Amino acid sequence: MLETFRQLYGSAEGARIYRAPGRVNLIGEHTDYTQGFVLPMALDLATHVAAVQSPDGMLRIYSEQRRELREFSAAGIAQSQPAHHWTDYPVGVAVELARAGFPVAPANLLICSSVPEGSGLSSSAALEVASALAFLSGRPIDPLELARLCQRAERNFVGMPCGIMDQYISVFGRLNSAVEIDCRSLGHRFVPLPESITFTAVNSMVKHALAGSAYKDRVAECAAAAESLGQPLRDLSPAQFESRAHELPAVVERRARHVVTENARVADFVDSSTRGDLARMGRLMVESHRSLQNDYEVSCQELDFLVDTALSIDGVYGSRMTGGGFGGCTVTMLRPDAMPNFQRQIESAYEARFQVTPRLYPCHPSAGAGEESTPR
Ligand code: ADP
Ligand code: MG
């Protein structure tokens, strides 16, 4: 990475490198923006940002994935307007940092990421959090404030009304552990996973367009449901919800049913994991997928095919779409020794059906964001 930095900016002296991970969400999908529960884990796929202070008042940001350099005046960055460009993510973070009392100094930045973009593994939050650390350049910040500030950048500047999950797990990820997040209290607990299972993400290679209207529609439909019912969806048990479901218009009812049952599934999944009930964990993942497919309607034929195919392969406990939907990845829970056969079979079935090779990402629960190293 430093060699690239040198080629780009002439010297990498004094460079500091910050890392922020992507994530896979095991269960609790589309529940974070209604104060619900989620169970993601940080991945070893991550975004790195290398940074060196610059003497000329400019803020330069280069993405190795985009092979594109953009320049801004550091003094004027706090007044920036969205450009509907990938730089909106780091620039939005700079704007929020300035607002929070952390003005951004002139610097040269290099972004390098192994998180696939637009695939539901949260390259956006990884980019935001890694950029924030680079802009902070060692200035201390409360980790929860860091996550919230990055979420505000995506909501206010990028214009995506996202919940807190992605930024939160990128900051609070823990090696060898999933993290259950309460998106109302913003507290969390670490959930160690049974050792006899592993998870893998499978990329449908269909890029979602999350910024599209469907996500915003779901956010609005959930708000309408909570408004009609007079309480946050996360405070309703499935039984309580069913007794009042008839009060809602049909589409809103289905959206709310997904959220209410999904919150219950998170608690059940955590409990089943603690008890080592692998079969139940798998079933809950499949129920989650069906709910996203039929009630929330954020799946697509490629994701459904990957889930259905996974369930027919030996050693698989469960599978579901992960992330916002409309493409991106599924996550599958399976026996570790079943992985090679799973990979072969899912690849050949998907190739035969869609003429595309899906990419697999074995999921290793990893640590949250931080400074990677301070090279001399
Ligand atoms: P996801 O977070 O699931 O990957 P999003 O649509 O939320 O999908 O975010 C993807 C967007 O984030 C990309 O379209 C791009 O604008 C930005 N992005 C993420 N990683 C990078 C990167 N390494 N370089 C440039 N832009 C990136
Ligand atoms: Mg994202």
Side-chain angles (χ1 to χ4, degrees), residues 190-371:
F190 298 117
V191 178
L193 298 161
E195 275 173 20
S196 52
I197 52 160
T198 190
F199 291 89
T200 185
V202 180
N203 196 339
S204 67
M205 313 308 277
V206 178
K207 292 228 169 161
H208 63 207
L210 264 191
S213 61
Y215 190 97
K216 291 176 186 172
D217 290 346
R218 297 302 179 281
V219 173
E221 286 157 356
C222 287
E227 168 90 31
S228 294
L229 297 171
Q231 56 185 325
L233 294 177
R234 84 130 221 197
D235 289 330
L236 290 162
S237 70
Q240 287 168 333
F241 173 75
E242 290 309 331
S243 72
R244 298 193 56 195
H246 62 274
E247 296 171 31
L248 301 173
V251 170
V252 172
E253 176 186 338
R254 281 190 284 121
R255 306 297 189 246
R257 178 170 292 114
H258 164 71
V259 172
V260 170
T261 57
E262 185 75 354
N263 279 325
R265 279 187 289 272
V266 174
D268 199 344
F269 188 91
V270 170
D271 186 54
S272 303
S273 177
T274 312
R275 287 185 289 102
D277 188 342
L278 308 181
R280 185 162 186 88
M281 291 167 76
R283 272 203 307 278
L284 290 162
M285 291 178 76
V286 179
E287 278 178 27
S288 168
H289 184 77
R290 299 301 172 215
S291 179
L292 289 157
Q293 180 182 0
N294 302 320
D295 281 342
Y296 220 62
E297 295 180 285
V298 290
S299 188
C300 61
Q301 57 168 343
E302 291 85 353
L303 291 171
D304 295 340
F305 181 86
L306 285 175
V307 167
D308 292 336
T309 306
L311 295 177
S312 72
I313 299 174
D314 185 49
V316 169
Y317 291 96
S319 185
R320 56 181 290 279
M321 54 156 276
T322 188
F326 307 108
C329 289
T330 59
V331 58
T332 297
M333 171 176 151
L334 71 168
R335 282 200 326 263
D337 65 288
M339 258 301 269
N341 181 51
F342 173 80
Q343 172 151 15
R344 261 194 312 277
Q345 290 206 31
I346 201 107
E347 281 178 357
S348 67
Y350 197 77
E351 281 166 7
R353 173 75 172 78
F354 296 107
Q355 291 76 53
V356 179
T357 307
R359 257 195 88 177
L360 270 70
Y361 311 94
C363 300
H364 308 295
S366 300
E371 182 162 3

Side-chain angles (χ1 to χ4, degrees), residues 34-88:
T34 44
Q35 308 179 19
F37 298 91
V38 294
L39 185 69
M41 61 196 204
L43 294 175
D44 52 6
L45 302 171
T47 298
H48 289 86
V49 176
V52 176
Q53 303 281 310
S54 121
D56 64 359
M58 300 304 283
L59 184 65
R60 293 186 189 82
I61 311 180
Y62 181 87
S63 161
E64 184 153 84
Q65 281 60 53
R66 296 304 171 93
R67 303 194 174 281
E68 191 180 14
L69 178 71
R70 287 281 168 118
E71 284 195 354
F72 308 86
S73 138
I77 198 99
Q79 284 78 47
S80 301
Q81 293 301 316
H84 308 289
H85 185 258
W86 64 266
T87 48
D88 282 356

